Structures are given as C-alpha cells and as structure tokens.
Amino acid sequence: MSVSDLDKVDMMGKTENGKCLQMVISDHLDWEDEEIHLLVLQEKINAYLALLQDKKWMRENAKGVQYINIVVFFVYDITENCQKFLQVVQDQVGQYGVKITATIADDDFRKKVENDDEDEEVSPKEEPPQKPGFRFPFFWKR
C-alpha cells in the first residue's frame, strides 16, 4: 500500500494509551514531478479525511480516541512547496482534533528502497508529535 492507493489505509493503529489513532501514509514517490506528487498526496489525505467523517468507520476504528494523527512517511526529502502544503493542511484540520505530521526516511532506508534490497529490514526514524492542528474537504492550490 502506498500514497497512490487511494482506496486503502496504508497503516493504522492506536497509541499505547488508546487516545490517539495514528493513520500512516507511505509516500515512496520522488519529487521529479512536484505538482503531480502534491496532487496525489492531497487525494490520499482527502481519502483519509473522508474516512474520519464516516460515523460507522469511526465507531469501528476510533473508539475512545481523543485525536487523530495522520503521519506522512516520505522516502525522499520534501520540497519547500510540500512543507507549505502540509502546513496549510494542518491549519485546516487542527480545529477538528486531527494533526498532520511528516517523517522523512533516513539514508539507510532510502538506499534500501532504491536498491529494492528485501534482505535487510530498516525502520524509519519517528518525529516527535506536534500540537494538534482541520476543514474538510481539503484542497490546496499553489
């Protein structure tokens, strides 16, 4: 599953205390075509936000949750426009108890992806949680 699989949640789980539902977007795309990359990311985030508005889905998956954290795990360093995009998303969704965080793969993980070496397992480094920071549907224009 990845950022381009709009009909799937890439990864999801609750924190140990059960107060936060973490929804992960796995972004393996490079930034060669930044505009397309940002549009794909926007579509994936909107797909996650649509799930969060579905009362049945929330009852089944987010019982006892106080806030949602959408974590975008990037294989490649993000661009300045991507940083701006994520801040706009955060500004819009924060008021609804949803926060957006970004994690960028370290060099070892990136090399693994680039070499497609399945023998070695490498874990991404996690960013510390950020202050909750949302309006749906979300659309961003440069």
Side-chain angles (χ1 to χ4, degrees):
M1 288 171 273
S2 74
V3 68
S4 53
D5 295 321
L6 299 179
D7 61 338
K8 294 181 175 80
V9 173
D10 298 347
M11 194 180 331
M12 180 176 73
K14 291 182 184 177
T15 55
E16 284 186 42
N17 65 11
K19 293 182 180 181
C20 177
L21 178 66
Q22 303 263 9
M23 300 176 74
V24 177
I25 296 173
S26 177
D27 189 329
H28 66 288
L29 302 175
D30 63 31
W31 292 97
E32 193 171 310
D33 190 338
E34 181 184 46
E35 185 174 353
I36 295 296
H37 189 155
L38 289 172
L39 288 172
V40 170
L41 181 57
Q42 175 179 301
E43 297 258 335
K44 184 72 169 201
I45 291 171
N46 280 337
Y48 278 27
L49 297 177
L51 286 175
L52 298 178
Q53 289 192 322
D54 183 315
K55 290 180 182 3
K56 182 177 185 257
W57 188 90
M58 288 295 288
R59 274 194 309 276
E60 292 171 359
N61 295 286
K63 187 175 180 176
V65 166
Q66 294 177 1
Y67 64 96
I68 311 290
N69 185 18
I70 298 175
V71 179
V72 186
F73 176 72
F74 293 97
V75 171
Y76 299 99
D77 290 330
I78 62 177
T79 64
E80 185 177 333
N81 283 326
C82 182
Q83 290 175 11
K84 290 176 185 176
F85 166 76
L86 292 173
Q87 186 59 56
V88 169
V89 175
Q90 180 62 60
D91 293 346
Q92 292 187 15
V93 300
Q95 63 186 316
Y96 299 102
V98 177
K99 62 183 176 178
I100 303 289
T101 57
T103 300
I104 301 171
D106 61 19
D107 290 338
D108 291 337
F109 187 88
R110 189 174 302 112
K111 286 176 188 171
K112 180 184 181 312
V113 169
E114 289 171 352
N115 294 330
D116 200 27
D117 181 5
E118 300 283 328
D119 298 335
E120 183 181 338
E121 198 165 311
V122 180
S123 300
K125 292 182 181 175
E126 290 194 25
E127 294 287 320
Q130 298 174 359
K131 185 177 176 183
F134 167 116
R135 202 173 335 228
F136 181 80
F138 169 74
F139 297 100
W140 179 71
K141 301 237 187 239
R142 258 196 295 169

